[in-house]
Amino acid sequence: MSSLVTLDIETTGLDSSRDAIIEIGAVRFNGKRVEGEWESLINPNRKIPALVTQLTGITDDMVNKAPPLHAVLPELADFIGNAPVIGHNVQFDLSFLQPHHILSLNEVLDTYELAAVLMPSAGRYNLSALAMALGIPRLDKAHRALSDARVTCRIFSKLYQKATELPTALLDEFVRLSEPFDWGAAWVFRQALNERLGREVDADKERSYDTLLLFRPAQQVFEKPLTAAEQPQPLDPEEIAALMGPGGPFAHYFPAYEQRSQQIEMLHNVSRALSESRHLMVEAGTGTGKSFAYLLPTALWATQNGMRVVISTNTINLQDQLINKDIPDLRLALDLQVNAAVLKGRANYLCPRRLELLRQRRPDSIEEMRVLGKVLVWLYEGGDGDRTQINLTGAVEQEIWNRLSAQDEGCSAETCLSRTGGVCPFYQAHQASHAAHLIIVNHALLLADVATGNRVLPNYDYLIVDEAHHLESATTNALSVRITPFELSRLLKELGGVSGGVFGHLLSLFKDVVTPSEFAALNQAIRRATDLSFHFERDLKTCFQAIHDFLSEQREGNPISPYGQQERILPATRTLPLWNGVEQTWATAEETLKLLLGMVSETHKRTGEIKADIQDELEDTLTSIAGIHRRLSEIGAHLNDFVYGGEGDFGQIHWAEINAANGQLSLHIAPLHIGPLMETYLWHEKASMILTSATLTTAGSFKYLRQRLNADEADELALGSPFDYETAALLYLVNDIPEPSDGAAYQHSVEQTLIRLSKATGGRLMALFTSYAQLKRTSQAITPALADASILVYEQGEGASANMLLESFREADQAVLLGTRAFWEGVDIPGAALSTLVITKLPFDVPTDPIIAARAETFDDPFTEFSLPEAILRFRQGFGRLIRTQSDRGVVVLLDRRIMTKRYGKAFLDSIPQCTRKVGSMHELPAIAARWLNL
């Protein structure tokens, strides 16, 4: 291989048209040998923003006497020569350099693109995270150009080695499929293939890595579906409790097992609820062992009676714990033959047929190429087709995944079996669920199944809902609708016309297999449909513009705020003069849509009747057309509701929203109440439904959730935690921090407090935020200061799953984790890895959020009856992240003094376990926390 050069720049900002370079670093290397390094500070002829100085350490004084950019570019160009240039997200660097007529002819390689394909399950793809994942130590400071160029060099070498280890056929496919694109990973795959073959690539040579062979072989997971007993045998609670008693199977299997009275009491109540077909709500404090308290009686009930029990969770973490740890332990401890399966929504599974179609038609964008490469490497390395195992970054990659997923609800089990031979991940999961005693699902799938008339899950009469405090929000999300111009445009593009899309593919299928007259008639029909599609898109654009105009009038022509714009569409809204324009433009679009749907339906019917020797491929295409017809019909019905108003079965909330970041418009519909749905389809339909969580009560009462979920018929049980919180937890209330309403002063205090506290405790700290914007600002402010102390900062953000971040945090010696909504609950980090929990703000919902505002209006006293109970439930969940075992010890810090200054503060403090409490200053906090942790 010839010499390569890694390049990195530091700048005053992110906009190449306005900002300037302040430092350049480059490393020339060949294989493992570094041939030379080049670096220079650059005078940007402007002040460096404080945030950039904080991040890089580069000050105005450092660059004042540095040369200007034009003076160093010839030397940089000589250093690089004609070598390929490598960078991490290299187009950013080039956007600053190429306008100066440098590097325009060099081959360009991007380590981000490489890592995205070759490390499909990586937690994050930034430079520091990749270095850590690849075992590359940082020997000097991050966010300096030469340092980052050195790290990029080592990352590239590791990734290149990974590329050479891929099968030759896969490398060949990547090279062929990426030919139309200027893709930052293509050169590496060409070189890797050349190295493997020892010769130049023949780009036209067809090779393939059979799609179906990439998936796990079909297997009959369980022998036969369950057969329910005609007369179920009731459980004996005392006998079951004995299994957990001293000298019982649990004590023998778990070396450190301790019987907890709270766990036994919950087990008794769950056993009776199942046996007597009763509903039950159980609050079980942290450490109760609620999972086994319901799993043990549920497993025995299901196996002895041939019953199917659905267990619904809100988080993937708990699903994984149940299926990978708790249920296997239960089997081994009791020698119990209980079958369990996880079932997720179709969109979570990769469809082999759709993957093969993409490979055959070839990607039409760099993003599609990246996702296809990522998926193929993932499957080759043993991925099982479950979306949660792969890192999809951003909305575009997620949208491409959706087109590869098993979302085609028209695909029956029989059709799937005949097309894929049973290797489809969704088919295997669905088949396993029919023979499972315990089916693990999430709340979204549970409620989607209810809303669609039980078309997803096998029939069941017994239901356990864990993390039940999330049932309302999960149901709301499952039944909500979001419509965007982009989504509709993409759907119409997917439909296509005579030269592209599904219609174009349909014509290509029939071109040589039907008579000329049949082909001409089909061609004409598709042309008419294409014209209607064009007119519909044009009419929609006019309608969306009318909504834009309406929103502009509502904000009186002012710019959109940094938080965007959300506008509820109420009955009174629809009486305003400007809304009349929305109705008129939608009426025109709706008429065009009706004509388009009629033409699509007619084309589908006509082609389905043509006899031709292309049955399998034709069936796939017709299924795609039917799916597009269904989605267009649904969107049309939703838009009709949105424009004219529609109450639905349980009341609806309508709002229009403009995203502050990109100015995109979206229309939303959500249910106002989900209690009636719960009552009709769950409380009245299921023999026994058991709701459990560590947080179901507010102010010691189940009243709030009973009302929200229409749980009138459920028995109730509240169990405290067995942990000694007074000894284990210090609750530190900061009394001199500005209130959150004092924006800049409060934010600065949060940042400085986190820096000092993290240094005093050596990291091992998680901070919970109520706003991603605040989290991002805080991360940018504290990262450089903590990096100097060798403390890593992990932040929740786009592209990195909660699971992946948590694993990285657990494994780091000194780290801080910043999280928003996803980290307030379901996070389990026992032991010293998490010793300090910081709650930055009391977790009240944003009152202007359309759903919150609409639901608040249904209460006489919205704050006391709605906002406060919701915030208390979330606060209790956040507090519960710290003490996870009997031996845990830690500090909870609250950086919101409203808990002491407002009347409602006592309700929050009374809702958590009694622990050691101290009120003090920000200055005193680090030393007190260190003493409590014996540091």
Side-chain angles (χ1 to χ4, degrees):
M1 188 189 301
S2 60
S3 296
L4 306 169
V5 174
T6 54
L7 176 71
D8 189 79
I9 65 172
E10 302 300 333
T11 65
T12 59
L14 303 178
D15 188 339
S16 60
S17 66
R18 293 197 309 245
D19 293 306
I21 297 173
I22 56 176
E23 188 177 40
I24 304 175
V27 176
R28 175 182 281 272
F29 67 101
N30 192 324
K32 294 183 177 180
R33 183 168 60 89
V34 174
E35 298 177 330
E37 296 183 340
W38 187 94
E39 67 174 327
S40 179
L41 287 167
I42 309 293
N43 188 338
N45 292 314
R46 68 193 72 186
K47 288 190 70 63
I48 299 174
L51 183 61
V52 174
T53 294
Q54 199 172 33
L55 188 66
T56 64
I58 300 174
T59 65
D60 289 321
D61 288 343
M62 292 169 64
V63 299
N64 281 342
K65 294 182 180 180
L69 180 63
H70 67 82
V72 303
L73 286 181
E75 188 180 336
L76 175 64
D78 287 343
F79 179 81
I80 295 175
N82 60 2
V85 174
I86 306 167
H88 197 70
N89 285 312
V90 69
Q91 291 304 324
F92 172 80
D93 305 78
L94 295 180
S95 70
F96 281 83
L97 291 169
Q98 287 182 339
H100 299 279
H101 310 292
I102 181 176
L103 308 181
S104 56
L105 299 178
N106 294 68
E107 187 86 42
V108 175
L109 289 64
D110 195 330
T111 45
Y112 167 79
E113 294 288 346
L114 268 178
V117 171
L118 296 170
M119 300 172 67
S121 299
R124 304 194 74 180
Y125 293 120
N126 64 40
L127 210 58
S128 296
L130 288 176
M132 181 180 294
L134 292 168
I136 298 170
R138 293 213 71 135
L139 303 178
D140 40 19
K141 189 173 181 180
H143 298 299
R144 290 299 299 267
L146 183 58
S147 170
D148 286 353
R150 289 168 175 160
V151 172
T152 303
C153 172
R154 300 185 68 182
I155 287 174
F156 174 83
S157 298
K158 294 267 190 177
L159 293 174
Y160 183 82
Q161 181 60 38
K162 280 180 173 286
T164 62
E165 294 167 0
L166 290 176
T168 303
L170 216 50
L171 289 170
D172 185 44
E173 182 170 0
F174 290 170
V175 171
R176 286 187 296 102
L177 296 184
S178 64
E179 275 188 336
F181 315 118
D182 185 16
W183 186 35
W187 185 92
V188 170
F189 292 124
R190 286 199 304 271
Q191 293 297 316
L193 183 59
N194 288 343
E195 188 173 315
R196 293 288 295 270
L197 297 177
R199 57 181 173 79
E200 288 299 314
V201 180
D202 180 0
D204 296 324
K205 188 176 177 70
E206 289 293 329
R207 292 169 178 261
S208 66
Y209 205 84
D210 192 292
T211 296
L212 297 184
L213 294 179
L214 286 167
F215 288 83
R216 293 184 178 180
Q219 54 184 335
Q220 189 64 40
V221 182
F222 305 118
E223 290 186 0
K224 58 183 179 180
L226 300 180
T227 302
E230 291 186 13
Q231 292 293 328
Q233 296 300 306
L235 298 172
D236 184 329
E238 296 301 331
E239 283 186 11
I240 300 174
L243 298 174
M244 286 186 160
F250 267 57
H252 286 296
Y253 182 78
F254 297 102
Y257 179 76
E258 296 178 5
Q259 188 181 58
R260 286 156 281 188
S261 61
Q262 296 92 339
Q263 187 179 46
I264 298 302
E265 188 174 355
M266 179 174 173
L267 180 150
H268 280 165
N269 280 268
V270 171
S271 300
R272 284 193 289 268
L274 292 170
S275 298
E276 300 170 13
S277 295
R278 299 178 65 85
H279 300 315
L280 176 66
M281 298 175 74
V282 185
E283 178 175 277
T286 305
T288 298
K290 63 180 170 63
S291 296
F292 279 120
Y294 65 71
L295 275 179
L296 179 53
T298 297
L300 292 172
W301 170 259
T303 51
Q304 78 180 28
N305 292 305
M307 293 291 186
R308 181 180 294 121
V309 181
V310 170
I311 300 174
S312 181
T313 76
N314 188 61
T315 61
I316 293 171
N317 287 345
L318 183 53
Q319 278 193 0
D320 289 344
Q321 176 189 317
L322 292 174
I323 199 70
N324 296 322
K325 184 178 183 299
D326 292 348
I327 294 174
D329 282 344
L330 191 67
R331 287 195 194 104
L332 293 171
L334 301 182
D335 191 23
L336 185 67
Q337 300 303 307
V338 57
N339 298 333
V342 173
L343 191 58
K344 302 176 182 178
R346 284 177 170 270
N348 288 281
Y349 299 99
L350 182 65
C351 173
R353 179 175 56 86
R354 287 181 159 185
L355 175 61
E356 180 60 23
L357 286 173
L358 174 58
R359 296 176 77 184
Q360 289 178 5
R361 75 161 173 81
R362 306 171 74 101
D364 58 16
S365 68
I366 287 175
E367 290 78 16
E368 271 199 344
M369 184 66 233
R370 183 194 309 131
V371 172
L372 176 60
K374 184 189 302 247
V375 166
L376 291 177
V377 170
W378 172 50
L379 292 175
Y380 166 71
E381 292 179 342
D384 65 4
D386 184 335
R387 184 254 177 275
T388 58
Q389 300 172 358
I390 191 170
N391 186 346
L392 298 170
T393 305
V396 175
E397 288 196 4
Q398 181 59 57
E399 176 56 38
I400 294 166
W401 170 272
N402 289 341
R403 299 203 296 270
L404 294 175
S405 74
Q407 282 196 96
D408 177 10
E409 295 185 4
C411 183
S412 65
E414 294 76 16
T415 305
C416 182
L417 184 61
S418 66
R419 289 171 171 171
T420 70
V423 302
C424 171
F426 175 73
Y427 172 82
Q428 291 196 19
H430 200 260
Q431 290 301 106
S433 71
H434 281 274
H437 298 102
L438 308 179
I439 304 176
I440 315 299
V441 302
N442 64 20
H443 295 348
L445 180 62
L446 173 73
L447 277 305
D449 180 65
V450 168
T452 57
N454 300 105
R455 291 189 307 185
V456 181
L457 299 176
N459 290 331
Y460 66 96
D461 290 313
Y462 299 88
L463 172 64
I464 309 287
V465 180
D466 202 340
E467 301 175 313
H469 60 286
H470 261 304
L471 202 51
E472 181 176 33
S473 60
T475 306
T476 300
N477 291 335
L479 302 183
S480 292
V481 174
R482 179 177 183 268
I483 301 168
T484 67
F486 173 80
E487 175 195 8
L488 279 161
S489 179
R490 187 199 56 73
L491 193 56
L492 293 172
K493 182 181 178 183
E494 189 178 336
L495 184 63
V498 291
S499 58
V502 180
F503 272 159
H505 185 63
L506 186 67
L507 278 177
S508 68
L509 286 177
F510 280 107
K511 186 174 182 181
D512 299 318
V513 297
V514 296
T515 65
S517 61
E518 287 178 318
F519 184 78
L522 179 59
N523 187 293
Q524 186 62 32
I526 288 177
R527 285 187 182 278
R528 287 200 297 271
T530 304
D531 288 342
L532 287 168
S533 179
F534 172 80
H535 287 299
F536 177 55
E537 189 164 17
R538 182 196 61 192
D539 293 343
L540 270 177
K541 187 176 181 180
T542 304
C543 180
F544 282 120
Q545 184 57 53
I547 297 173
H548 264 294
D549 293 342
F550 171 81
L551 294 174
S552 178
E553 184 184 72
Q554 295 305 106
R555 62 178 188 271
E556 299 179 338
N558 292 317
I560 297 167
S561 85
Y563 300 101
Q565 181 182 8
Q566 290 180 324
E567 197 72 36
R568 282 176 61 198
I569 309 302
L570 304 166
T573 307
R574 298 185 176 95
T575 66
L576 298 175
L578 205 59
W579 193 259
N580 188 50
V582 175
E583 292 182 350
Q584 289 176 356
T585 55
W586 167 243
T588 301
E590 186 184 22
E591 285 302 312
T592 311
L593 175 60
K594 288 177 181 176
L595 295 172
L596 172 61
L597 289 171
M599 186 57 66
V600 172
S601 182
E602 180 185 331
T603 304
H604 182 274
K605 180 181 178 183
R606 178 182 297 179
T607 50
E609 292 171 348
I610 298 175
K611 303 300 181 186
D613 191 23
I614 49 171
Q615 202 56 41
D616 285 349
E617 210 169 348
L618 175 59
E619 191 174 335
D620 284 339
T621 306
L622 291 177
T623 298
S624 296
I625 292 173
I628 294 171
H629 183 280
R630 174 178 50 79
R631 281 181 284 165
L632 281 172
S633 298
E634 290 173 352
I635 290 172
H638 292 316
L639 281 170
N640 214 51
D641 279 350
F642 184 88
V643 173
Y644 298 120
E647 287 302 310
D649 292 334
F650 305 107
Q652 292 180 331
I653 307 163
H654 301 90
W655 75 96
E657 184 171 325
I658 297 180
N659 185 293
N662 54 29
Q664 288 187 354
L665 173 69
S666 54
L667 310 181
H668 302 257
I669 305 174
L672 178 60
H673 299 292
I674 64 101
L677 175 78
M678 300 282 299
E679 187 173 7
T680 302
Y681 295 106
L682 291 176
W683 295 120
H684 290 175
E685 286 290 318
K686 303 306 174 187
S688 177
M689 182 160 120
I690 298 166
L691 273 58
T692 186
S693 167
T695 52
L696 291 180
T697 65
T698 59
S701 170
F702 286 89
K703 180 182 177 182
Y704 176 69
L705 275 186
R706 275 190 182 280
Q707 291 175 340
R708 302 307 299 162
L709 304 178
N710 284 27
D712 301 330
E713 301 174 10
D715 299 331
E716 61 184 49
L717 174 67
L719 301 168
S721 170
F723 295 162
D724 179 3
Y725 274 91
E726 285 202 68
T727 302
L730 169 66
L731 174 62
Y732 191 95
L733 307 178
V734 179
N735 62 3
D736 62 346
I737 191 168
E739 291 204 358
S741 57
D742 190 359
Y746 167 73
Q747 176 62 22
H748 179 73
S749 297
V750 169
E751 294 163 3
Q752 294 307 306
T753 301
L754 284 175
I755 290 171
R756 290 194 294 265
L757 181 60
S758 299
K759 288 181 176 180
T761 60
R764 302 185 298 161
L765 178 150
M766 180 166 71
L768 298 176
F769 294 80
T770 59
S771 153
Y772 181 68
Q774 187 196 8
L775 180 153
K776 196 71 179 173
R777 286 195 301 273
T778 305
S779 176
Q780 290 171 342
I782 71 175
T783 296
L786 293 183
D788 290 341
S790 300
I791 298 173
L792 295 170
V793 176
Y794 295 102
E795 63 177 90
Q796 179 184 349
E798 195 175 84
S801 73
N803 278 345
M804 293 169 178
L805 281 179
L806 287 170
E807 283 305 312
S808 299
F809 177 70
R810 285 191 190 100
E811 293 170 4
D813 290 331
Q814 296 190 108
V816 169
L817 178 60
L818 311 180
T820 55
R821 185 65 69 90
F823 287 83
W824 281 78
E825 60 186 276
V827 173
D828 192 8
I829 309 176
L834 175 59
S835 299
T836 308
L837 176 76
V838 177
I839 296 176
T840 58
K841 196 181 295 186
L842 293 174
F844 287 105
D845 283 313
V846 178
T848 55
D849 177 274
I851 294 177
I852 300 302
R855 288 178 175 167
E857 290 168 2
T858 65
F859 291 88
D860 294 330
D861 181 356
F863 180 80
T864 303
E865 296 176 335
F866 179 57
S867 299
L868 185 58
E870 283 289 329
I872 289 173
L873 288 173
R874 196 170 299 125
F875 179 73
R876 295 183 64 200
Q877 282 289 335
F879 178 88
R881 294 315 94 211
L882 185 66
I883 305 300
R884 307 301 299 172
T885 69
Q886 287 280 13
S887 59
D888 280 357
R889 182 177 174 85
V891 181
V892 178
V893 178
L894 182 61
L895 299 180
D896 188 342
R897 65 190 180 97
R898 290 179 297 176
I899 203 163
M900 294 173 284
T901 62
K902 302 296 184 183
R903 184 181 301 173
Y904 56 73
K906 187 175 185 298
F908 284 95
L909 294 174
D910 289 347
S911 72
I912 57 177
Q914 188 65 41
C915 49
T916 299
R917 189 182 302 175
K918 182 169 181 58
V919 177
S921 68
M922 292 182 286
H923 177 75
E924 296 172 300
L925 169 60
I928 291 173
R931 281 200 300 272
W932 181 265
L933 297 173
N934 298 317
L935 297 176

